[in-house]
Short mmCIF file of all heavy atoms in Angstrom, two decimals:
data_model
loop_
_atom_site.label_atom_id
_atom_site.label_comp_id
_atom_site.label_asym_id
_atom_site.label_seq_id
_atom_site.Cartn_x
_atom_site.Cartn_y
_atom_site.Cartn_z
N MET A 1 4.82 -18.30 24.53
CA MET A 1 3.94 -18.14 23.38
C MET A 1 4.69 -18.65 22.15
O MET A 1 5.82 -18.26 21.88
CB MET A 1 3.57 -16.65 23.23
CG MET A 1 2.68 -16.37 22.05
SD MET A 1 2.25 -14.63 21.84
CE MET A 1 0.98 -14.46 23.05
N SER A 2 4.04 -19.48 21.38
CA SER A 2 4.68 -20.04 20.19
C SER A 2 4.65 -19.02 19.04
O SER A 2 3.95 -18.01 19.11
CB SER A 2 3.98 -21.32 19.76
OG SER A 2 2.71 -21.02 19.23
N LEU A 3 5.42 -19.31 18.03
CA LEU A 3 5.48 -18.42 16.86
C LEU A 3 4.11 -18.30 16.20
O LEU A 3 3.70 -17.20 15.81
CB LEU A 3 6.52 -18.93 15.87
CG LEU A 3 6.68 -18.12 14.59
CD1 LEU A 3 7.13 -16.70 14.93
CD2 LEU A 3 7.67 -18.78 13.66
N THR A 4 3.41 -19.40 16.08
CA THR A 4 2.09 -19.39 15.45
C THR A 4 1.12 -18.51 16.24
O THR A 4 0.37 -17.72 15.65
CB THR A 4 1.54 -20.81 15.34
OG1 THR A 4 2.48 -21.62 14.65
CG2 THR A 4 0.22 -20.84 14.60
N GLU A 5 1.12 -18.64 17.55
CA GLU A 5 0.25 -17.82 18.38
C GLU A 5 0.63 -16.36 18.29
O GLU A 5 -0.24 -15.48 18.27
CB GLU A 5 0.32 -18.29 19.83
CG GLU A 5 -0.29 -19.64 20.07
CD GLU A 5 -0.04 -20.12 21.49
OE1 GLU A 5 0.58 -19.39 22.29
OE2 GLU A 5 -0.47 -21.24 21.79
N SER A 6 1.92 -16.07 18.23
CA SER A 6 2.39 -14.70 18.11
C SER A 6 1.93 -14.07 16.80
O SER A 6 1.48 -12.92 16.78
CB SER A 6 3.92 -14.67 18.21
OG SER A 6 4.40 -13.37 18.03
N ILE A 7 2.05 -14.81 15.72
CA ILE A 7 1.60 -14.31 14.41
C ILE A 7 0.09 -14.12 14.41
O ILE A 7 -0.41 -13.09 13.93
CB ILE A 7 2.04 -15.27 13.28
CG1 ILE A 7 3.55 -15.24 13.14
CG2 ILE A 7 1.36 -14.91 11.97
CD1 ILE A 7 4.11 -16.28 12.21
N ARG A 8 -0.62 -15.06 14.96
CA ARG A 8 -2.08 -14.96 15.02
C ARG A 8 -2.52 -13.74 15.82
O ARG A 8 -3.44 -13.00 15.42
CB ARG A 8 -2.66 -16.24 15.64
CG ARG A 8 -4.15 -16.32 15.54
CD ARG A 8 -4.67 -17.67 15.99
NE ARG A 8 -4.22 -18.69 15.05
CZ ARG A 8 -3.81 -19.90 15.40
NH1 ARG A 8 -3.77 -20.26 16.66
NH2 ARG A 8 -3.44 -20.77 14.49
N THR A 9 -1.86 -13.46 16.93
CA THR A 9 -2.17 -12.29 17.75
C THR A 9 -1.87 -11.01 16.99
O THR A 9 -2.69 -10.07 16.99
CB THR A 9 -1.35 -12.33 19.06
OG1 THR A 9 -1.65 -13.53 19.76
CG2 THR A 9 -1.67 -11.13 19.92
N HIS A 10 -0.73 -10.96 16.33
CA HIS A 10 -0.36 -9.77 15.56
C HIS A 10 -1.38 -9.49 14.46
O HIS A 10 -1.80 -8.34 14.27
CB HIS A 10 1.03 -9.94 14.95
CG HIS A 10 1.46 -8.80 14.10
ND1 HIS A 10 1.89 -7.59 14.63
CD2 HIS A 10 1.50 -8.65 12.75
CE1 HIS A 10 2.18 -6.77 13.64
NE2 HIS A 10 1.95 -7.39 12.49
N VAL A 11 -1.78 -10.52 13.74
CA VAL A 11 -2.75 -10.34 12.65
C VAL A 11 -4.10 -9.90 13.19
O VAL A 11 -4.73 -9.00 12.63
CB VAL A 11 -2.87 -11.63 11.82
CG1 VAL A 11 -4.04 -11.55 10.86
CG2 VAL A 11 -1.58 -11.90 11.05
N SER A 12 -4.54 -10.48 14.29
CA SER A 12 -5.84 -10.09 14.83
C SER A 12 -5.84 -8.66 15.36
O SER A 12 -6.85 -7.96 15.26
CB SER A 12 -6.28 -11.06 15.93
OG SER A 12 -5.44 -10.95 17.05
N GLU A 13 -4.70 -8.19 15.88
CA GLU A 13 -4.62 -6.81 16.38
C GLU A 13 -4.51 -5.79 15.25
O GLU A 13 -4.89 -4.64 15.43
CB GLU A 13 -3.41 -6.67 17.31
CG GLU A 13 -3.57 -7.40 18.62
CD GLU A 13 -2.30 -7.37 19.45
OE1 GLU A 13 -1.26 -6.89 18.96
OE2 GLU A 13 -2.35 -7.84 20.61
N ASN A 14 -3.97 -6.19 14.10
CA ASN A 14 -3.71 -5.24 13.02
C ASN A 14 -4.49 -5.56 11.74
O ASN A 14 -4.11 -5.14 10.66
CB ASN A 14 -2.22 -5.24 12.69
CG ASN A 14 -1.40 -4.79 13.87
OD1 ASN A 14 -1.53 -3.66 14.31
ND2 ASN A 14 -0.58 -5.67 14.40
N ARG A 15 -5.58 -6.27 11.86
CA ARG A 15 -6.33 -6.74 10.70
C ARG A 15 -6.79 -5.60 9.80
O ARG A 15 -6.58 -5.63 8.59
CB ARG A 15 -7.53 -7.56 11.15
CG ARG A 15 -8.37 -8.06 9.98
CD ARG A 15 -9.36 -9.07 10.42
NE ARG A 15 -8.61 -10.23 10.86
CZ ARG A 15 -9.05 -11.14 11.70
NH1 ARG A 15 -10.25 -11.03 12.20
NH2 ARG A 15 -8.31 -12.16 12.05
N SER A 16 -7.40 -4.56 10.35
CA SER A 16 -7.94 -3.48 9.51
C SER A 16 -6.82 -2.72 8.80
O SER A 16 -6.97 -2.35 7.63
CB SER A 16 -8.79 -2.53 10.34
OG SER A 16 -8.00 -1.87 11.31
N THR A 17 -5.71 -2.52 9.47
CA THR A 17 -4.58 -1.83 8.84
C THR A 17 -4.00 -2.67 7.70
O THR A 17 -3.67 -2.14 6.64
CB THR A 17 -3.48 -1.55 9.88
OG1 THR A 17 -4.05 -0.79 10.95
CG2 THR A 17 -2.33 -0.78 9.28
N MET A 18 -3.90 -3.96 7.92
CA MET A 18 -3.36 -4.85 6.89
C MET A 18 -4.27 -4.89 5.67
O MET A 18 -3.79 -4.88 4.53
CB MET A 18 -3.14 -6.25 7.46
CG MET A 18 -2.07 -6.29 8.52
SD MET A 18 -1.99 -7.84 9.41
CE MET A 18 -1.20 -8.86 8.20
N VAL A 19 -5.56 -4.92 5.88
CA VAL A 19 -6.51 -4.93 4.76
C VAL A 19 -6.43 -3.61 4.00
O VAL A 19 -6.43 -3.59 2.76
CB VAL A 19 -7.94 -5.22 5.26
CG1 VAL A 19 -8.96 -5.01 4.16
CG2 VAL A 19 -8.04 -6.63 5.80
N THR A 20 -6.35 -2.50 4.72
CA THR A 20 -6.23 -1.19 4.08
C THR A 20 -4.97 -1.10 3.24
O THR A 20 -5.00 -0.60 2.10
CB THR A 20 -6.25 -0.07 5.14
OG1 THR A 20 -7.43 -0.20 5.93
CG2 THR A 20 -6.22 1.29 4.50
N ASP A 21 -3.86 -1.58 3.77
CA ASP A 21 -2.59 -1.58 3.02
C ASP A 21 -2.70 -2.43 1.77
O ASP A 21 -2.20 -2.05 0.71
CB ASP A 21 -1.45 -2.07 3.90
CG ASP A 21 -1.09 -1.10 5.01
OD1 ASP A 21 -1.52 0.06 4.94
OD2 ASP A 21 -0.37 -1.52 5.93
N LEU A 22 -3.33 -3.57 1.88
CA LEU A 22 -3.50 -4.46 0.74
C LEU A 22 -4.35 -3.81 -0.35
O LEU A 22 -4.01 -3.85 -1.53
CB LEU A 22 -4.12 -5.79 1.17
CG LEU A 22 -4.42 -6.79 0.05
CD1 LEU A 22 -3.12 -7.22 -0.63
CD2 LEU A 22 -5.18 -7.98 0.59
N VAL A 23 -5.44 -3.18 0.05
CA VAL A 23 -6.31 -2.50 -0.92
C VAL A 23 -5.56 -1.37 -1.61
O VAL A 23 -5.66 -1.20 -2.83
CB VAL A 23 -7.61 -2.00 -0.24
CG1 VAL A 23 -8.40 -1.09 -1.15
CG2 VAL A 23 -8.45 -3.19 0.20
N PHE A 24 -4.80 -0.59 -0.85
CA PHE A 24 -4.01 0.49 -1.45
C PHE A 24 -3.01 -0.07 -2.45
O PHE A 24 -2.88 0.45 -3.56
CB PHE A 24 -3.27 1.29 -0.37
CG PHE A 24 -2.51 2.46 -0.92
CD1 PHE A 24 -3.12 3.69 -1.06
CD2 PHE A 24 -1.19 2.33 -1.33
CE1 PHE A 24 -2.43 4.77 -1.58
CE2 PHE A 24 -0.49 3.40 -1.86
CZ PHE A 24 -1.12 4.62 -1.98
N ALA A 25 -2.31 -1.14 -2.08
CA ALA A 25 -1.31 -1.73 -2.98
C ALA A 25 -1.96 -2.25 -4.25
O ALA A 25 -1.44 -2.04 -5.36
CB ALA A 25 -0.56 -2.85 -2.26
N LEU A 26 -3.08 -2.93 -4.13
CA LEU A 26 -3.77 -3.44 -5.32
C LEU A 26 -4.25 -2.32 -6.22
O LEU A 26 -4.12 -2.39 -7.45
CB LEU A 26 -4.94 -4.33 -4.91
CG LEU A 26 -4.58 -5.66 -4.28
CD1 LEU A 26 -5.82 -6.38 -3.76
CD2 LEU A 26 -3.83 -6.54 -5.27
N ALA A 27 -4.78 -1.25 -5.63
CA ALA A 27 -5.25 -0.12 -6.42
C ALA A 27 -4.07 0.57 -7.12
O ALA A 27 -4.17 0.94 -8.30
CB ALA A 27 -5.99 0.87 -5.53
N TRP A 28 -2.96 0.73 -6.42
CA TRP A 28 -1.79 1.40 -7.00
C TRP A 28 -1.22 0.60 -8.18
O TRP A 28 -0.98 1.14 -9.25
CB TRP A 28 -0.71 1.60 -5.94
CG TRP A 28 0.44 2.40 -6.44
CD1 TRP A 28 1.61 1.92 -6.95
CD2 TRP A 28 0.52 3.82 -6.53
NE1 TRP A 28 2.41 2.96 -7.33
CE2 TRP A 28 1.77 4.13 -7.08
CE3 TRP A 28 -0.34 4.84 -6.18
CZ2 TRP A 28 2.17 5.44 -7.29
CZ3 TRP A 28 0.06 6.14 -6.39
CH2 TRP A 28 1.30 6.43 -6.94
N VAL A 29 -1.04 -0.69 -7.98
CA VAL A 29 -0.48 -1.54 -9.04
C VAL A 29 -1.43 -1.59 -10.23
O VAL A 29 -1.00 -1.53 -11.39
CB VAL A 29 -0.16 -2.95 -8.50
CG1 VAL A 29 0.18 -3.91 -9.62
CG2 VAL A 29 0.98 -2.87 -7.49
N THR A 30 -2.73 -1.66 -9.98
CA THR A 30 -3.70 -1.68 -11.06
C THR A 30 -3.66 -0.38 -11.85
O THR A 30 -3.64 -0.39 -13.09
CB THR A 30 -5.12 -1.91 -10.51
OG1 THR A 30 -5.13 -3.17 -9.81
CG2 THR A 30 -6.15 -1.93 -11.62
N ALA A 31 -3.63 0.75 -11.15
CA ALA A 31 -3.60 2.05 -11.84
C ALA A 31 -2.34 2.22 -12.67
O ALA A 31 -2.40 2.66 -13.83
CB ALA A 31 -3.72 3.18 -10.81
N ILE A 32 -1.20 1.86 -12.12
CA ILE A 32 0.07 1.99 -12.85
C ILE A 32 0.09 1.05 -14.04
O ILE A 32 0.53 1.42 -15.14
CB ILE A 32 1.27 1.74 -11.92
CG1 ILE A 32 1.32 2.81 -10.82
CG2 ILE A 32 2.57 1.70 -12.70
CD1 ILE A 32 1.43 4.23 -11.30
N SER A 33 -0.39 -0.17 -13.86
CA SER A 33 -0.41 -1.14 -14.96
C SER A 33 -1.32 -0.66 -16.10
O SER A 33 -0.95 -0.76 -17.28
CB SER A 33 -0.88 -2.50 -14.47
OG SER A 33 0.04 -3.02 -13.55
N LEU A 34 -2.49 -0.13 -15.75
CA LEU A 34 -3.39 0.39 -16.78
C LEU A 34 -2.79 1.60 -17.49
O LEU A 34 -2.90 1.72 -18.72
CB LEU A 34 -4.74 0.76 -16.16
CG LEU A 34 -5.59 -0.42 -15.69
CD1 LEU A 34 -6.84 0.08 -14.96
CD2 LEU A 34 -5.97 -1.33 -16.84
N LEU A 35 -2.15 2.48 -16.74
CA LEU A 35 -1.52 3.65 -17.32
C LEU A 35 -0.44 3.24 -18.32
O LEU A 35 -0.39 3.77 -19.44
CB LEU A 35 -0.91 4.53 -16.23
CG LEU A 35 -0.09 5.74 -16.71
CD1 LEU A 35 -1.00 6.75 -17.39
CD2 LEU A 35 0.65 6.35 -15.56
N PHE A 36 0.40 2.29 -17.94
CA PHE A 36 1.49 1.89 -18.83
C PHE A 36 1.01 1.01 -19.98
O PHE A 36 1.70 0.92 -21.00
CB PHE A 36 2.62 1.24 -18.04
CG PHE A 36 3.59 2.25 -17.50
CD1 PHE A 36 3.32 2.93 -16.32
CD2 PHE A 36 4.75 2.55 -18.18
CE1 PHE A 36 4.18 3.88 -15.82
CE2 PHE A 36 5.63 3.50 -17.70
CZ PHE A 36 5.35 4.18 -16.51
N ASP A 37 -0.16 0.40 -19.86
CA ASP A 37 -0.75 -0.28 -21.01
C ASP A 37 -1.17 0.73 -22.07
O ASP A 37 -1.07 0.47 -23.26
CB ASP A 37 -1.95 -1.12 -20.59
CG ASP A 37 -1.57 -2.41 -19.90
OD1 ASP A 37 -0.38 -2.79 -19.99
OD2 ASP A 37 -2.45 -3.03 -19.28
N VAL A 38 -1.60 1.91 -21.63
CA VAL A 38 -2.06 2.95 -22.55
C VAL A 38 -0.88 3.70 -23.17
O VAL A 38 -0.82 3.89 -24.38
CB VAL A 38 -3.01 3.94 -21.84
CG1 VAL A 38 -3.33 5.13 -22.73
CG2 VAL A 38 -4.28 3.23 -21.41
N VAL A 39 0.07 4.14 -22.34
CA VAL A 39 1.14 5.01 -22.85
C VAL A 39 2.35 4.25 -23.38
O VAL A 39 3.19 4.84 -24.05
CB VAL A 39 1.62 6.01 -21.77
CG1 VAL A 39 0.49 6.93 -21.37
CG2 VAL A 39 2.22 5.31 -20.58
N GLN A 40 2.45 2.95 -23.10
CA GLN A 40 3.57 2.13 -23.57
C GLN A 40 4.93 2.75 -23.21
O GLN A 40 5.81 2.90 -24.05
CB GLN A 40 3.48 1.93 -25.09
CG GLN A 40 2.24 1.20 -25.55
CD GLN A 40 2.18 -0.23 -25.05
OE1 GLN A 40 3.17 -0.93 -25.08
NE2 GLN A 40 1.02 -0.63 -24.57
N GLY A 41 5.08 3.12 -21.93
CA GLY A 41 6.32 3.72 -21.45
C GLY A 41 7.42 2.69 -21.31
O GLY A 41 7.20 1.48 -21.42
N PRO A 42 8.64 3.16 -21.06
CA PRO A 42 9.77 2.23 -20.90
C PRO A 42 9.63 1.41 -19.62
O PRO A 42 9.00 1.83 -18.64
CB PRO A 42 10.98 3.15 -20.83
CG PRO A 42 10.45 4.48 -20.44
CD PRO A 42 9.06 4.56 -20.95
N GLN A 43 10.25 0.24 -19.62
CA GLN A 43 10.16 -0.69 -18.49
C GLN A 43 10.71 -0.09 -17.20
O GLN A 43 10.14 -0.29 -16.13
CB GLN A 43 10.90 -1.99 -18.85
CG GLN A 43 10.60 -3.14 -17.95
CD GLN A 43 9.22 -3.74 -18.20
OE1 GLN A 43 8.61 -3.51 -19.24
NE2 GLN A 43 8.72 -4.46 -17.23
N TRP A 44 11.82 0.67 -17.30
CA TRP A 44 12.41 1.25 -16.09
C TRP A 44 11.46 2.26 -15.46
O TRP A 44 11.38 2.37 -14.24
CB TRP A 44 13.77 1.89 -16.38
CG TRP A 44 13.71 3.05 -17.33
CD1 TRP A 44 13.88 3.02 -18.68
CD2 TRP A 44 13.46 4.42 -17.00
NE1 TRP A 44 13.73 4.28 -19.21
CE2 TRP A 44 13.48 5.17 -18.19
CE3 TRP A 44 13.21 5.09 -15.80
CZ2 TRP A 44 13.26 6.53 -18.23
CZ3 TRP A 44 12.99 6.47 -15.83
CH2 TRP A 44 13.02 7.16 -17.04
N ALA A 45 10.70 2.99 -16.28
CA ALA A 45 9.74 3.97 -15.75
C ALA A 45 8.57 3.26 -15.07
O ALA A 45 8.05 3.74 -14.05
CB ALA A 45 9.25 4.88 -16.86
N TYR A 46 8.18 2.14 -15.63
CA TYR A 46 7.11 1.33 -15.03
C TYR A 46 7.51 0.89 -13.62
O TYR A 46 6.74 1.06 -12.66
CB TYR A 46 6.82 0.13 -15.93
CG TYR A 46 5.87 -0.88 -15.35
CD1 TYR A 46 4.51 -0.60 -15.24
CD2 TYR A 46 6.33 -2.12 -14.92
CE1 TYR A 46 3.63 -1.53 -14.72
CE2 TYR A 46 5.45 -3.05 -14.40
CZ TYR A 46 4.11 -2.75 -14.30
OH TYR A 46 3.24 -3.68 -13.78
N TYR A 47 8.72 0.34 -13.49
CA TYR A 47 9.18 -0.11 -12.18
C TYR A 47 9.37 1.05 -11.22
O TYR A 47 9.12 0.93 -10.02
CB TYR A 47 10.47 -0.93 -12.31
CG TYR A 47 10.25 -2.26 -12.98
CD1 TYR A 47 11.03 -2.66 -14.05
CD2 TYR A 47 9.25 -3.12 -12.54
CE1 TYR A 47 10.83 -3.89 -14.66
CE2 TYR A 47 9.04 -4.34 -13.15
CZ TYR A 47 9.83 -4.72 -14.21
OH TYR A 47 9.62 -5.94 -14.80
N LEU A 48 9.82 2.18 -11.72
CA LEU A 48 9.98 3.36 -10.88
C LEU A 48 8.63 3.84 -10.35
O LEU A 48 8.50 4.19 -9.17
CB LEU A 48 10.67 4.48 -11.66
CG LEU A 48 11.02 5.74 -10.89
CD1 LEU A 48 12.04 5.43 -9.80
CD2 LEU A 48 11.57 6.79 -11.84
N CYS A 49 7.62 3.83 -11.20
CA CYS A 49 6.28 4.22 -10.77
C CYS A 49 5.71 3.23 -9.75
O CYS A 49 5.05 3.63 -8.79
CB CYS A 49 5.35 4.35 -11.96
SG CYS A 49 5.65 5.80 -12.96
N LEU A 50 5.96 1.95 -9.97
CA LEU A 50 5.51 0.96 -8.99
C LEU A 50 6.18 1.20 -7.64
O LEU A 50 5.53 1.16 -6.60
CB LEU A 50 5.80 -0.46 -9.47
CG LEU A 50 4.92 -1.00 -10.58
CD1 LEU A 50 5.38 -2.41 -10.97
CD2 LEU A 50 3.46 -1.02 -10.18
N ALA A 51 7.49 1.45 -7.66
CA ALA A 51 8.23 1.69 -6.42
C ALA A 51 7.78 2.98 -5.74
O ALA A 51 7.81 3.08 -4.51
CB ALA A 51 9.73 1.72 -6.69
N SER A 52 7.36 3.96 -6.52
CA SER A 52 6.91 5.22 -5.93
C SER A 52 5.62 5.03 -5.13
O SER A 52 5.23 5.92 -4.36
CB SER A 52 6.72 6.29 -7.01
OG SER A 52 5.62 5.96 -7.84
N GLY A 53 4.99 3.89 -5.28
CA GLY A 53 3.81 3.59 -4.47
C GLY A 53 4.13 3.53 -2.99
O GLY A 53 3.26 3.80 -2.16
N ILE A 54 5.37 3.20 -2.65
CA ILE A 54 5.76 3.19 -1.24
C ILE A 54 5.69 4.59 -0.66
O ILE A 54 5.11 4.81 0.41
CB ILE A 54 7.18 2.60 -1.10
CG1 ILE A 54 7.20 1.15 -1.58
CG2 ILE A 54 7.67 2.70 0.34
CD1 ILE A 54 8.58 0.58 -1.78
N VAL A 55 6.24 5.55 -1.39
CA VAL A 55 6.19 6.95 -0.95
C VAL A 55 4.75 7.45 -0.94
O VAL A 55 4.32 8.13 -0.01
CB VAL A 55 7.08 7.83 -1.85
CG1 VAL A 55 6.97 9.29 -1.47
CG2 VAL A 55 8.52 7.36 -1.80
N ALA A 56 4.00 7.08 -1.98
CA ALA A 56 2.60 7.50 -2.05
C ALA A 56 1.79 6.94 -0.89
O ALA A 56 0.94 7.64 -0.33
CB ALA A 56 2.00 7.06 -3.38
N HIS A 57 2.06 5.71 -0.51
CA HIS A 57 1.36 5.09 0.61
C HIS A 57 1.58 5.87 1.90
O HIS A 57 0.63 6.23 2.59
CB HIS A 57 1.83 3.64 0.76
CG HIS A 57 1.26 2.94 1.94
ND1 HIS A 57 1.85 2.96 3.18
CD2 HIS A 57 0.13 2.21 2.08
CE1 HIS A 57 1.12 2.27 4.02
NE2 HIS A 57 0.07 1.80 3.38
N TYR A 58 2.85 6.12 2.22
CA TYR A 58 3.13 6.84 3.46
C TYR A 58 2.63 8.28 3.41
O TYR A 58 2.12 8.80 4.40
CB TYR A 58 4.63 6.80 3.78
CG TYR A 58 5.05 5.44 4.29
CD1 TYR A 58 5.81 4.58 3.51
CD2 TYR A 58 4.67 5.02 5.55
CE1 TYR A 58 6.18 3.33 3.99
CE2 TYR A 58 5.03 3.77 6.03
CZ TYR A 58 5.79 2.94 5.24
OH TYR A 58 6.15 1.71 5.71
N GLY A 59 2.73 8.93 2.26
CA GLY A 59 2.22 10.29 2.13
C GLY A 59 0.72 10.35 2.28
O GLY A 59 0.18 11.23 2.97
N PHE A 60 0.01 9.43 1.66
CA PHE A 60 -1.44 9.42 1.73
C PHE A 60 -1.92 9.18 3.15
O PHE A 60 -2.77 9.91 3.67
CB PHE A 60 -2.01 8.36 0.79
CG PHE A 60 -3.50 8.21 0.87
CD1 PHE A 60 -4.33 9.17 0.31
CD2 PHE A 60 -4.07 7.13 1.52
CE1 PHE A 60 -5.71 9.04 0.39
CE2 PHE A 60 -5.44 7.00 1.61
CZ PHE A 60 -6.27 7.96 1.04
N PHE A 61 -1.38 8.16 3.80
CA PHE A 61 -1.86 7.85 5.14
C PHE A 61 -1.37 8.85 6.19
O PHE A 61 -2.03 9.04 7.20
CB PHE A 61 -1.52 6.41 5.51
CG PHE A 61 -2.40 5.42 4.79
CD1 PHE A 61 -1.90 4.67 3.74
CD2 PHE A 61 -3.73 5.30 5.12
CE1 PHE A 61 -2.72 3.79 3.06
CE2 PHE A 61 -4.56 4.43 4.44
CZ PHE A 61 -4.05 3.67 3.40
N ALA A 62 -0.26 9.53 5.95
CA ALA A 62 0.15 10.60 6.84
C ALA A 62 -0.80 11.78 6.73
O ALA A 62 -1.17 12.40 7.75
CB ALA A 62 1.58 11.05 6.51
N SER A 63 -1.26 12.07 5.51
CA SER A 63 -2.21 13.18 5.35
C SER A 63 -3.57 12.82 5.94
O SER A 63 -4.25 13.68 6.51
CB SER A 63 -2.35 13.56 3.87
OG SER A 63 -2.93 12.52 3.12
N VAL A 64 -3.98 11.56 5.82
CA VAL A 64 -5.25 11.14 6.44
C VAL A 64 -5.16 11.27 7.95
O VAL A 64 -6.09 11.75 8.60
CB VAL A 64 -5.59 9.68 6.02
CG1 VAL A 64 -6.72 9.12 6.87
CG2 VAL A 64 -5.94 9.61 4.56
N GLU A 65 -4.04 10.87 8.52
CA GLU A 65 -3.84 10.98 9.96
C GLU A 65 -3.84 12.44 10.42
O GLU A 65 -4.40 12.78 11.47
CB GLU A 65 -2.55 10.29 10.37
CG GLU A 65 -2.37 10.15 11.86
CD GLU A 65 -3.41 9.25 12.50
OE1 GLU A 65 -3.88 8.30 11.85
OE2 GLU A 65 -3.74 9.49 13.68
N ALA A 66 -3.23 13.34 9.61
CA ALA A 66 -3.21 14.75 9.94
C ALA A 66 -4.61 15.33 9.96
O ALA A 66 -4.96 16.14 10.83
CB ALA A 66 -2.32 15.50 8.98
N VAL A 67 -5.43 14.93 9.01
CA VAL A 67 -6.82 15.41 8.96
C VAL A 67 -7.59 14.90 10.16
O VAL A 67 -8.37 15.64 10.76
CB VAL A 67 -7.49 14.98 7.63
CG1 VAL A 67 -8.99 15.21 7.68
CG2 VAL A 67 -6.86 15.73 6.46
N ARG A 68 -7.39 13.65 10.53
CA ARG A 68 -8.08 13.10 11.69
C ARG A 68 -7.70 13.83 12.98
O ARG A 68 -8.54 14.02 13.86
CB ARG A 68 -7.76 11.62 11.85
CG ARG A 68 -8.48 10.75 10.85
CD ARG A 68 -8.19 9.30 11.09
NE ARG A 68 -8.83 8.48 10.09
CZ ARG A 68 -8.51 7.24 9.84
NH1 ARG A 68 -7.55 6.65 10.52
NH2 ARG A 68 -9.13 6.56 8.91
N GLU A 69 -6.44 14.22 13.10
CA GLU A 69 -5.99 14.93 14.29
C GLU A 69 -6.58 16.33 14.36
O GLU A 69 -6.78 16.86 15.45
CB GLU A 69 -4.47 14.99 14.32
CG GLU A 69 -3.83 13.66 14.62
CD GLU A 69 -2.32 13.71 14.58
OE1 GLU A 69 -1.76 14.81 14.34
OE2 GLU A 69 -1.69 12.66 14.77
N GLN A 70 -6.84 16.96 13.22
CA GLN A 70 -7.42 18.30 13.21
C GLN A 70 -8.88 18.32 13.59
O GLN A 70 -9.40 19.32 14.03
CB GLN A 70 -7.25 18.94 11.83
CG GLN A 70 -5.83 19.34 11.51
CD GLN A 70 -5.72 19.97 10.13
OE1 GLN A 70 -6.68 20.00 9.37
NE2 GLN A 70 -4.52 20.45 9.81
N GLN A 71 -9.55 17.21 13.41
CA GLN A 71 -11.01 17.15 13.69
C GLN A 71 -11.30 16.97 15.15
O GLN A 71 -10.74 16.51 15.97
CB GLN A 71 -11.66 16.05 12.89
CG GLN A 71 -11.66 16.34 11.43
CD GLN A 71 -12.32 15.23 10.62
OE1 GLN A 71 -12.61 14.16 11.12
NE2 GLN A 71 -12.53 15.49 9.36
#
């Protein structure tokens, strides 16, 4: 299997997850950018909030998975 075929297979198997991750990332960056446009916080805090999106992503989707398992 060539590299191109391998990538194509991976993307086709994980398409919905990749789209969900992209939407979450876009929403997070948009919300943080809008917040810092309003409050005019320091640059280091802006980058820290952007980086905290990684933790927020895993926390959010872990809680969604926990709810699905309870149902």
Side-chain angles (χ1 to χ4, degrees):
M1 179 181 281
S2 71
L3 179 62
T4 305
E5 291 173 1
S6 177
I7 292 172
R8 189 172 293 141
T9 302
H10 177 76
V11 169
S12 68
E13 290 174 353
N14 298 297
R15 179 169 293 157
S16 64
T17 304
M18 294 170 76
V19 171
T20 304
D21 291 346
L22 177 63
V23 170
F24 183 89
L26 290 173
W28 186 265
V29 170
T30 301
I32 296 301
S33 296
L34 291 174
L35 174 68
F36 274 82
D37 283 346
V38 172
V39 298
Q40 299 296 316
Q43 195 74 18
W44 63 267
Y46 173 72
Y47 291 129
L48 185 64
C49 287
L50 286 178
S52 69
I54 298 167
V55 176
H57 176 271
Y58 285 108
F60 176 74
F61 286 106
S63 66
V64 168
E65 189 65 31
V67 168
R68 285 183 183 163
E69 288 177 1
Q70 288 180 354
Q71 292 180 350

